[in-house]
Amino acid sequence: MSIYVIGMGSGELESVSGEGIRCLFEADYIFGPDRMLAMLPEEIKGEKIHEYKTDKVISIIEEIRKRTPEAKLCVVFGGDTGIYSGATKLVEGFRSKEMRFRIIPGISSVQLLSARLGIPWQNWKILSAHGNECDGVKAVEPDKKTFFLTGGRMTPRVLCEQLAKAGFGDTKALVGECLGTEKERIVTSTVKEISEMDFDSISVLLVWEVPGKYEVIRRTPGIPDEDFIRDKVPMTKQEVRAVVMSKLGITPCDICWDIGAGTGSVSVEMALCAPFGKTFGVEFRDVALELMKANRDKFGVGNLEIIKAKAPEGLRELPCPDAVFVGGSKGNLKEIITTVLDINDKARLCINAVTLESLSQAVEAVELAGFAAEVSQVSVARTRKMGRYNMLEGMTPVFIISKGARKH
């Protein structure tokens, strides 16, 4: 028995390789998705089997082998077999059953779009949003062209809506629709305009000239205060933020809460440290909420979700946190700490306090929950020009209370 796994490119016979065409014409049986089989010309006489899922294909092939050991079979997939293709899982299944096969590659939509544009694709960042949840904001990079295979819920429109919401509406974007077919269309515009358009389900998206999500990519926590959009809303200062972030030890996939988020300076730092996770900034003042939105857009952190609530209200509706910062409490500090540790007592917790009363409440709440309270005090002084002299001007000392080990 001979088995061939064939990439059919756009599905039109013209985009199949010569070897692939020869195998299709010689095949006794041809497996594949409905769309691919429907595009085969009538001259191809092999029996069409509308199936491409690994277990079912292997089961049917084993039955065919019992009846006709010399049969020639083809399994067809759209695009190329080597890039985000269902062929990958099928080939693994063949190997597990020790079935011999031959792969015949096709032309991918990346290659087709590259050829239509007349530019190489070797440096593009290539991602699949076809049937996968995809965060376009996390994916794009300032110095790269980012190519998305789209499909299912993640259409060019949805991806561009994500980008536009994060402040990238003027970014250049291009959609290749039904590439390699008679319905082929290429639309070049901006993210904002494409976010208002609908396209065929067989489409790809290319995004480029993305403004820096944060122009200076920092290697350590502690973004300069002046980089944030500010008003009269209190903000956790750069030096204190750097210590807080080191205490929280955020990892790339963490779920983070910033309670009493103010301008969102800690929320932004959290979102940048957890690009594959999610950060929730909880705040109830309208002026602060607007500042948080502005800073989210400036830094391009689409993984920051802003929640209007006066904690501890609303916290139980959020995903379970890995790291929590409490910057403001409006008199509800004990209740907030108790609620957080009731939801997840393994969460890394850090609280800022500037008064002795808040310090006492935080320590008491952490210890009542059965943990040691670790307290640090950060005092920062910055230079201020006084005539021809530089004087040090002290900032308000801040107590940083962290949840320590469980008490025995």
Side-chain angles (χ1 to χ4, degrees):
M1 175 174 282
S2 302
I3 302 173
Y4 298 89
V5 181
I6 301 174
M8 287 189 61
S10 66
E12 300 282 356
L13 201 62
E14 290 82 356
S15 67
V16 183
S17 71
E19 182 183 12
I21 291 172
R22 177 176 56 78
C23 289
L24 287 169
F25 273 94
E26 294 174 356
D28 299 300
Y29 300 92
I30 303 172
F31 295 76
D34 293 350
R35 188 178 74 87
M36 290 290 109
L37 295 181
M39 298 180 81
L40 293 174
E42 293 181 0
E43 292 80 8
I44 293 178
K45 302 299 184 182
E47 181 181 338
K48 314 299 189 300
I49 301 176
H50 295 256
E51 187 57 72
Y52 61 93
K53 293 181 180 178
T54 298
D55 292 344
K56 290 186 177 179
V57 169
I58 289 176
S59 175
I60 296 170
I61 288 176
E62 287 177 333
E63 288 298 318
I64 291 172
R65 181 161 50 186
K66 292 175 185 176
R67 301 194 310 264
T68 319
E70 300 303 317
K72 188 169 185 177
L73 301 94
C74 294
V75 188
V76 298
F77 291 92
D80 178 41
T81 50
I83 177 169
Y84 296 113
S85 172
T88 302
K89 187 174 181 180
L90 180 64
V91 163
E92 290 172 356
F94 285 161
R95 287 198 175 107
S96 70
K97 296 290 186 178
E98 297 185 349
M99 291 177 158
R100 297 182 64 182
F101 60 90
R102 179 178 175 84
I103 297 175
I104 302 174
I107 300 174
S108 69
S109 54
V110 186
Q111 293 168 292
L112 283 170
L113 185 63
S114 169
R116 298 296 186 266
L117 301 178
I119 57 176
W121 58 274
Q122 59 199 22
N123 294 319
W124 295 1
K125 182 177 181 179
I126 301 170
L127 297 164
S128 176
H130 186 86
N132 301 315
E133 287 299 311
C134 181
D135 189 332
V137 179
K138 291 179 190 174
V140 296
E141 297 180 21
D143 58 347
K144 281 185 179 292
K145 287 182 171 68
T146 305
F147 175 95
F148 297 91
L149 290 162
T150 72
R153 195 186 77 80
M154 301 307 295
T155 63
R157 178 173 191 149
V158 170
L159 288 163
C160 286
E161 283 174 350
Q162 292 178 353
L163 291 164
K165 184 179 178 182
F168 300 145
D170 294 331
T171 295
K172 291 184 178 179
L174 178 152
V175 175
E177 184 179 35
C178 299
L179 294 173
T181 73
E182 292 180 354
K183 296 193 294 181
E184 178 176 295
R185 181 171 67 126
I186 294 177
V187 177
T188 303
S189 188
T190 64
V191 159
K192 178 66 172 65
E193 291 179 349
I194 287 176
S195 72
E196 299 169 354
M197 301 178 186
D198 290 314
F199 297 90
D200 190 280
S201 60
I202 310 299
S203 296
V204 297
L205 172 69
L206 186 69
V207 177
W208 72 102
E209 292 189 12
V210 181
K213 288 188 272 187
Y214 176 38
E215 294 295 345
V216 180
I217 304 299
R218 299 190 63 81
R219 294 178 174 81
T220 58
I223 296 170
D225 294 345
E226 59 269 20
D227 285 7
F228 290 95
I229 300 167
R230 301 176 62 186
D231 200 330
K232 296 179 181 179
V233 176
M235 184 178 79
T236 304
K237 300 301 188 293
Q238 176 184 9
E239 295 85 353
V240 177
R241 257 184 287 116
V243 175
V244 166
M245 295 301 291
S246 72
K247 294 282 187 182
L248 290 172
I250 293 170
T251 62
C253 295
D254 276 351
I255 300 296
C256 306
W257 293 1
D258 179 11
I259 300 172
T263 60
S265 62
V266 173
S267 298
V268 166
E269 296 253 21
M270 286 175 152
L272 289 170
C273 286
F276 306 111
K278 187 89 172 181
T279 295
F280 296 87
V282 181
E283 178 59 64
F284 74 96
R285 294 166 295 171
D286 289 337
V287 63
L289 290 165
E290 290 304 314
L291 285 172
M292 287 178 67
K293 290 176 184 175
N295 281 311
R296 178 183 65 185
D297 292 349
K298 177 178 179 180
F299 289 88
V301 282
N303 57 327
L304 167 57
E305 184 170 334
I306 297 170
I307 306 295
K308 184 174 183 179
K310 187 175 181 180
E313 295 171 9
L315 295 182
R316 293 188 182 275
E317 281 71 54
L318 300 179
C320 184
D322 300 296
V324 178
F325 172 67
V326 183
S329 63
K330 289 298 177 184
N332 297 326
L333 186 56
K334 281 187 176 181
E335 293 85 350
I336 290 170
I337 294 171
T338 301
T339 301
V340 168
L341 294 180
D342 184 49
I343 292 170
N344 183 14
D345 63 4
K346 295 182 175 60
R348 301 182 295 281
L349 174 63
C350 193
I351 307 112
N352 275 12
V354 295
T355 68
L356 294 175
E357 289 78 9
S358 294
L359 168 64
S360 176
Q361 290 174 21
V363 169
E364 182 182 354
V366 171
E367 291 186 340
L368 280 174
F371 296 91
E374 300 175 352
V375 181
S376 303
Q377 190 220 28
V378 178
S379 297
V380 177
R382 292 178 178 174
T383 56
R384 182 167 67 90
K385 197 76 173 175
M386 295 283 288
R388 60 194 183 91
Y389 297 100
N390 290 299
M391 305 290 290
L392 280 173
E393 184 173 68
M395 297 163 58
T396 303
V398 178
F399 297 103
I400 300 175
I401 306 97
S402 304
K403 185 198 75 167
R406 186 179 287 279
K407 294 192 294 185
H408 298 291

